[in-house]
Amino acid sequence: MSFDLDNLISDHNPGDAIFYFKGNIDSDIINNVLDSVEFKLITINEHPRLRKKVYNVLVESLQNLYHHLDEISEASSD
C-alpha cells in the first residue's frame, strides 16, 4: 500500500489546517511557521498557557524535521 500526501490533503476540509507546506525545511521556513502559528493562536484568543504548550511542541517538531529529514530533490517536489 502506498501513501499519497496530495490525496490525503485533497480529502480534508481546508479549514482543518492552519497551513500546508510541501518542500524543504530551512530556518526561514521554521521561523515563518512559528510566527504564523503564534499569530493564529493570539488571534483566536487562546489561553496563554495553551499557546505556550502548543508553541513548544511545534518548536520541537520542526527542529526534529529540520535535523532528521533528507532534502527533497527538484524532480520529486513537482
Side-chain angles (χ1 to χ4, degrees):
M1 179 152 93
S2 65
F3 176 77
D4 187 350
L5 181 62
D6 292 325
N7 283 340
L8 176 71
I9 292 168
S10 67
D11 291 343
H12 282 84
N13 181 356
D16 291 342
I18 294 174
F19 57 86
Y20 162 77
F21 178 79
K22 181 178 177 181
N24 291 321
I25 302 291
D26 61 19
S27 59
D28 290 335
I29 297 295
I30 290 173
N31 288 332
N32 288 338
V33 168
L34 292 172
D35 290 343
S36 296
V37 170
E38 184 176 33
F39 178 76
K40 179 69 173 182
L41 290 169
I42 290 170
T43 301
I44 63 173
N45 202 25
E46 197 56 67
H47 191 276
R49 280 180 92 183
L50 182 60
R51 277 199 321 252
K52 184 176 180 177
K53 288 179 184 182
V54 169
Y55 190 84
N56 289 338
V57 168
L58 184 60
V59 166
E60 182 69 26
S61 300
L62 291 173
Q63 285 177 340
N64 287 341
L65 280 173
Y66 182 74
H67 291 294
H68 299 291
L69 284 181
D70 295 328
E71 288 191 19
I72 298 172
S73 68
E74 291 297 321
S76 65
S77 64
D78 292 332

